[in-house]
Every structure is written in C-alpha cells, then in structure tokens.
C-alpha cells in the first residue's frame, strides 16, 4: 500500500536523518517502527504523510506518487498539537469541520473510546499530557483514514491507561482493517501491536532489520507472558544493538 | 515551644502578608490623592487663570457636562477616533497578512512600516489636510496613520506565533487558506491584535485631537484650542480630563470586546 523506496533526507542544517531507507507498509497490516531517539522516526512519518519531501527516493501510496498531504492519510503528531482555544470536543471534531463533513456521531464515539467524556468541554490547558495525547489520537482516528500514521501515540500515559488504550487502538484498527504505521519506544508494544516490526539504525536511519511477528491476529496482553512473545521481543532487542 | 514558636512566626507572616495586600490595593488611590493634594496646594499660590485648583476644574467639568458642551465635543472626537482606529486596523490586517506569510512581502513592506512609526504626526497632518481637504475623511486618515504602526507590528507577530505543528495539522487535513486563517491564524493572533488595539486606542484620541487642533469648529481639540485663547484654563483642564476619560473608555471597551471574543473562541466556535 505504502512504498518508501531508497529515501534519503538531509535537513537544511546538514543533519542526515534518513539514508537510503526502503520500507513497505502492507495493506491492513500494522507496521511498527522502533529505533533509538533521534534516528529519524518522526522524519520518516512526516515524509510518509507528504508533509516533507525527501532529497532522494520516492514514496507511493497505492501506486500513486505522494506529493503532499491527502485526506486518506492521517498523522498523529508526537506532541499532541491541539488547538489551545478549542475544547476537547472541538479539537476532535476539527477534521470533520475542515472537510465540511457532518458529524454523525463519530465525535462522541471517539470521545468515549479515549475515555474523555467528562472532559469533552475542557480546554487543552485544563487536561493532562496523557489526556492531550488521547485527544490527538481521537482526532487522528475520527476520519477513518485508510493509512494511519502514529508517532508515539502512547508516550505520556501511565502503564494501565497505556495497556488499555493500546488494546482499544489495536481492536479498532483490526476491526476497520486499517493500515497503520506506528512509531514507538516500547519494544513490547511494537511486538504486541504489529504484524511487522521495522528496526532502524541510529542516525542516519536505515532499516537494520524487519521482523515478522507471527502471533495470532487477535491479541490480548496475556500474550506478553508467552514464550513466543518473549522470543520475538528478544529478536527485536538484538537487532537494535 | 519550638512548635508554637513556629506557628507564631507563620501568624506574623500572615498578618504581614495581609497588610501588604491591603497596601498594594490602596496604592493607586494613595497616588491619586497625593497628586490632587499637591495640585491643590500649588493652586493656592497662583491666580485661577494660570493654575485653577482641582475643585475649580471639577466644578467646571460638572457645569460644562450638564450644559451639554463637553458631551457634544467628546462625541465629535470619539466619532473621529473610533472609525480612524477601525480604518488603521483594517489597513494593518491587510498589510500584516502578506508580511507574515511571505518573506518577500515582509521585506517589501517593513521599511515603510518602520518609517510610519517615525512620521512626525504634527508635521504630516497639515499635509494630509492640504492633500485631502480639511474634512472628516482627512481626520480619519490622521487617526489611522497614528494607530497603524502598533497594530501592524502585533498583527504580524501574532500571525507568526502559530506553532509550525499546528500548521502541519491543518495541512494534513487539507484546510483551505480561508479556514486556516479564520480557525488557526486569527484565533492565535487575537491576543496580539488586542494588545496592539489597546495601545492604539489611546493613540487614536491623540490623532483625532491633532486633526481638530489644525482645523475644526467642533471636538475636544477645538475646545482646548478655543479655551486656551480665552485663558479659560479650568475649561482646558476639564477638556483634558474628558480626553483621558474617553481614552480610558475606549480602552475598557477594547478590553470588554477582547474578553467576549476570547470567551467566544474558547467556547469552541467550531463545535
Ligand atoms: N526541522 C529539523 N531541522 C533540522 N534537523 C532536524 C529537524 N527535525 C529533526 N531533525 C534532526 O533529524 C534527526 C531525526 O529526527 P527525528 O525527529 O526524526 O527523530 P526521532 O527518531 O523521531 O526521535 P525521537 O525518538 O526522539 O522522537 C535528529 O537528529 C534531529 O536533530
Ligand atoms: Mg520522534
């Protein structure tokens, strides 16, 4: 579905973020990208979203070259990037608003999904960092995008919220057959969520390894205790060294 | 012993804090009272046509308000200042938007904008009257010219204050230029624009007065001019007080508008 071929990206200040990176995101699969901090993961997502064009290489979405952002692709930013003067609800409704679509209950559904019903009318300054991330996640999901790009969606959450939200995102994406590329710092999360885990090298980012996760399609966190799970986590760990 | 000692200290601190808070509250009042007392004492040493005391000025203010003189001239001056303020704001928005979005436009406009701050209004206003006649429109132009600078500077920095990530969100969602302006840039710039407007509000009164000084038969500027000629110093001071009061009222009006608008946007105009 998404093909990133031989992409090199150098920032104007001379920092080489990505080097000859080739990566394929398969339709209806969840691909997790892991790597050290600063290895170019966010850059990769921005390029995939069409927000940035690389110096070299090509990106195609469903065989059409990507030249700029499209409404089929949704990107959740690493920092929540909410509108400070809009309520939680208005922030989640923003994508529908900007595309002049009517809200047919999606917004309320998303608010419940991320567990923010009580805070629907709060402003971003009145909620915690983890809640803000959940708002950003809801905003990314509300349009039902064909390709969902998530930049550390669960970074600022406590362990329990993180587990339950990971589980619900996993279920939604599976149910909708969504295609997802997800950046995370947590190897366990990558293995739990993904069909494939892509390990990037430290800067400049290249693909160090691509590991297929042969776990069942339906997963719950109990899986974490299984030896198969531990084996894959070990494999990813080794690739990151 | 130690414990009670400590709680005594806390009590003392609390009392000191309360006194401080009271002083802080009373400070503006103390300043004003001191000003009037000094003024009154000084006025005792001079004849009233040189320096009338605060009581004489207050009396003049009240009689000239009840006989309708001051309200009429205030209305005339405010009737020039406010539309002038609006005109200057419109011009500032029109020039600030391209300046915030294109480096070329910014470099094209900014020397002129900076120069506009250095314009000696008192010298240029007569030229404006020569070019545009000495009617109402010329007075608006003088007001607009003086308010333009603080607003355009604030409009530009306000529009530039939008964090790049929020622009990315709007780009990702395929937002139109108009939507990006009304839903992202304008709300982000509003606090800046209002800060500019608050400065500009008082300036617009100065602009209006300058115009009236040069050519008019109505307005606070005219009244001050006329009363000065007649050595009616009390009326001059009463007119100055009226000017200050009007400027403060404009300031308060802008504050009120700001609160209403900010509350409006905060309520999520989008939902
Ligand atoms: N706008 C920019 N201008 C210049 N350099 C940048 C810019 N954005 C990122 N970089 C550099 O590119 C490299 C990759 O950045 P990127 O944000 O993609 O890393 P990351 O893998 O997402 O890191 P993290 O895990 O900490 O979020 C970093 O070294 C960073 O300093
Ligand atoms: Mg990042």
């Amino acid at each position: 579905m998404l093909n990133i071929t031989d992409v090199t990206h150098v920032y104007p200040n001379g920092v080489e973020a990505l080097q000859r990176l080739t990566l394929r995101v398969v339709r209806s699969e969840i691909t997790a990208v892991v790597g050290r901090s600063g290895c170019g993961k966010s850059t990769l997502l921005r390029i995939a979203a069409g927000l940035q064009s690389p110096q070299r290489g090509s990106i195609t979405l469903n065989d059409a070259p990507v030249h700029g952002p499209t409404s089929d692709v949704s990107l959740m930013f690493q920092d929540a990037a909410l509108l400070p003067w809009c309520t939680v609800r208005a922030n989640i409704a923003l994508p529908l608003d900007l595309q002049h679509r009517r809200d047919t209950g999606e917004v309320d559904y998303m608010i419940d999904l991320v567990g923010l019903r009580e805070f629907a009318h709060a402003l971003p300054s009145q909620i915690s960092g983890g809640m803000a991330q959940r708002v950003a996640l809801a905003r990314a999901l509300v349009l039902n995008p064909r390709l969902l790009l998530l930049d550390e969606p669960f970074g600022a959450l406590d362990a329990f919220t993180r587990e339950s939200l990971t589980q619900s995102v996993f279920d939604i994406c599976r149910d909708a057959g969504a295609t997802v590329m997800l950046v995370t710092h947590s190897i366990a999360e990558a293995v739990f969520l993904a069909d494939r885990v892509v390990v990037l090298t430290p800067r400049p980012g290249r693909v160090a390894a691509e590991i297929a996760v042969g776990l069942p399609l339906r997963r719950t966190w109990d899986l974490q205790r299984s030896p198969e799970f531990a084996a894959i986590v070990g494999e990813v760990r080794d690739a990151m060294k | 012993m130690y414990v009670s000692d400590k709680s005594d200290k806390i009590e003392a601190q609390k009392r000191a804090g309360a006194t401080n808070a009271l002083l802080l509250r009373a400070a503006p009042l103390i300043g004003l009272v001191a000003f009037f007392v000094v003024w009154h004492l000084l006025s005792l040493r001079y004849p009233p046509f040189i320096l009338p005391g605060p009581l004489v000025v207050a009396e003049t203010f009240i009689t000239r308000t009840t006989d309708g003189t001051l309200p009429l001239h205030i209305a005339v001056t405010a009737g020039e200042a406010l539309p002038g303020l609006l005109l200057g704001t419109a011009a500032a928005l029109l020039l600030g938007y391209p300046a915030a979005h294109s480096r070329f436009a910014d470099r094209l406009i900014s020397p002129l904008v900076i120069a506009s701050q250095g314009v000696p209004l008192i010298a240029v206003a007569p030229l404006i009257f020569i070019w545009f006649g000495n009617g109402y429109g010329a007075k608006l132009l003088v007001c607009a010219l003086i308010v333009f600078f603080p607003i355009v500077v604030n409009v530009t920095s306000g529009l530039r204050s939008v964090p790049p990530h929020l622009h990315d969100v709007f780009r990702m969602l395929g937002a139109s230029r108009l939507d990006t302006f009304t839903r992202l840039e304008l709300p982000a710039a509003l606090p800046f624009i209002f800060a500019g407007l608050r400065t500009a509000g008082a300036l617009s009164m100065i602009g209006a007065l300058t115009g009236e000084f040069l050519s008019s038969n109505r307005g606070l500027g005219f009244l001050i001019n006329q009363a000065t000629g007649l050595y009616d110093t009390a009326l001059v001071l009463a007119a100055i007080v009226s000017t200050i009061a009007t400027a403060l009222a404009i300031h308060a009006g802008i504050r009120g508008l700001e609160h209403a608008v900010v509350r409006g946007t905060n309520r999520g105009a989008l939902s």
Side-chain angles (χ1 to χ4, degrees):
Chain A
M1 176 164 190
L2 178 74
N3 279 304
I4 298 170
T5 316
D6 206 18
V7 159
T8 298
H9 190 75
V10 184
Y11 278 105
N13 60 0
V15 173
E16 190 173 21
L18 301 173
Q19 192 185 60
R20 311 206 60 160
L21 181 139
T22 298
L23 179 65
R24 216 156 62 87
V25 177
V26 180
R27 185 185 305 279
S28 302
E29 268 193 13
I30 299 179
T31 304
V33 177
V34 295
R36 302 280 170 89
S37 178
C39 73
K41 304 183 294 296
S42 296
T43 307
L44 177 63
L45 285 197
R46 289 176 60 84
I47 287 176
L51 281 176
Q52 237 165 265
S53 18
Q55 259 83 42
R56 268 193 31 203
S58 71
I59 303 113
T60 60
L61 181 66
N62 293 328
D63 298 323
V66 172
H67 290 304
T70 65
S71 57
D72 290 343
V73 181
S74 184
L75 169 62
M76 178 191 162
F77 293 85
Q78 191 164 4
D79 62 343
L82 304 180
L83 297 183
W85 52 84
C86 288
T87 60
V88 163
R89 187 165 209 296
N91 265 293
I92 296 175
L94 182 73
L96 293 169
D97 264 359
L98 288 179
Q99 313 227 323
H100 307 286
R101 289 203 221 168
R102 286 243 331 272
D103 170 16
T104 50
E106 299 96 316
V107 176
D108 283 313
Y109 174 76
M110 282 301 156
I111 291 174
D112 286 334
L113 181 82
V114 294
L116 288 174
R117 171 124 318 274
E118 276 174 77
F119 293 91
H121 298 290
L123 291 173
S125 57
Q126 297 161 338
I127 60 177
S128 73
M131 290 176 180
Q133 266 192 327
R134 285 187 267 159
V135 177
L137 180 66
R139 184 177 65 188
L141 287 169
V142 78
L143 281 184
N144 232 325
R146 289 210 279 168
L147 174 63
L148 182 61
L149 306 169
L150 303 174
D151 199 345
E152 301 201 26
F154 315 113
L157 302 175
D158 66 279
F160 283 105
T161 316
R162 194 172 172 133
E163 276 189 13
S164 80
L165 200 61
T166 312
Q167 182 81 60
S168 17
V169 169
F170 180 83
D171 291 341
I172 300 169
C173 294
R174 286 287 187 234
D175 288 345
T179 313
V180 182
M181 178 150 86
L182 156 107
V183 163
T184 170
H185 273 150
S186 155
I187 297 176
E189 202 167 86
V191 173
F192 172 74
L193 279 169
D195 301 296
R196 274 178 323 127
V197 178
V198 174
V199 181
L200 297 190
T201 62
R203 204 184 69 224
R206 273 171 289 117
V207 176
E210 221 181 294
I211 294 152
V213 180
L215 295 171
L217 275 183
R218 289 279 151 199
R219 300 174 197 171
T220 58
W221 276 105
D222 298 332
L223 194 67
Q224 251 188 321
R225 298 199 200 93
S226 73
E228 298 96 306
F229 192 91
I232 301 167
V233 167
E235 202 180 328
V236 175
R237 241 179 185 317
D238 289 342
M240 270 182 86
K241 275 181 190 154
Chain B
M1 277 302 115
Y2 179 71
V3 173
S4 80
D5 210 57
K6 202 172 175 183
S7 68
D8 274 359
K9 244 187 202 162
I10 291 172
E11 274 308 308
Q13 256 174 18
K14 265 191 194 160
R15 253 177 286 132
T19 326
N20 274 341
L22 204 70
L23 255 170
L24 209 65
R25 281 220 174 159
L29 205 66
I30 296 171
L32 275 177
V33 169
F35 173 76
F36 283 119
V37 167
V38 171
W39 178 6
H40 179 71
L41 291 176
L42 272 176
S43 75
L44 296 177
R45 306 186 50 201
Y46 297 98
F49 71 91
I50 301 283
L51 181 63
L55 294 172
V56 179
V57 173
E59 197 193 321
T60 311
F61 184 84
I62 290 165
T63 50
R64 291 314 193 99
T65 302
T66 43
D67 76 2
T69 311
L70 285 172
L72 168 80
H73 293 291
I74 289 174
V76 169
T77 306
E80 294 156 4
L82 286 175
L85 182 61
L86 228 64
L87 188 68
T89 308
L93 276 171
L94 237 52
L95 281 180
Y97 184 84
H101 283 83
S102 130
R103 285 191 49 189
F104 176 74
D106 183 34
R107 291 183 65 89
L108 193 75
I109 296 166
S110 65
L112 298 173
V113 168
I114 293 165
S116 84
Q117 189 196 23
V119 167
L121 193 71
I122 198 74
V124 171
L127 287 179
I128 292 179
F129 280 75
I130 291 174
W131 294 332
F132 298 96
N134 47 7
Y136 184 62
K139 295 203 179 77
L140 292 197
L141 269 183
V142 174
C143 286
L145 188 66
I146 197 172
V147 301
F148 174 72
F149 183 79
I151 302 183
V152 80
V153 168
N154 279 285
V155 164
T156 318
S157 23
L159 291 176
R160 285 202 189 118
S161 75
V162 180
H165 269 170
L166 292 185
H167 266 301
D168 286 341
V169 170
F170 274 64
R171 274 181 66 201
M172 277 310 297
L173 293 168
S176 66
R177 270 197 168 212
L178 184 66
D179 277 340
T180 308
F181 178 69
T182 56
R183 295 183 166 205
L184 177 62
E185 294 172 322
L186 196 58
L190 274 180
F192 291 78
I193 297 176
F194 274 109
L197 273 177
R198 269 181 267 131
T199 317
L203 286 177
S204 71
M205 281 299 284
I206 294 180
L209 250 72
T210 308
E212 289 167 357
F213 261 88
L214 287 170
S215 154
S216 68
N217 47 19
R218 285 181 321 160
L220 287 168
F222 163 76
L223 187 67
I224 291 172
N225 230 350
Q226 194 192 40
T228 310
L230 298 172
Y231 274 90
D232 190 349
T233 319
L235 184 56
V236 172
L237 287 170
I240 290 176
V241 171
S242 308
T243 309
I244 295 171
T246 313
L248 289 180
I250 293 177
H251 191 272
I254 291 170
R255 262 279 150 96
L257 190 67
E258 180 175 6
H259 280 301
V261 168
V262 167
R263 209 171 321 117
T265 32
N266 274 356
R267 213 175 278 140
L270 296 179
S271 59

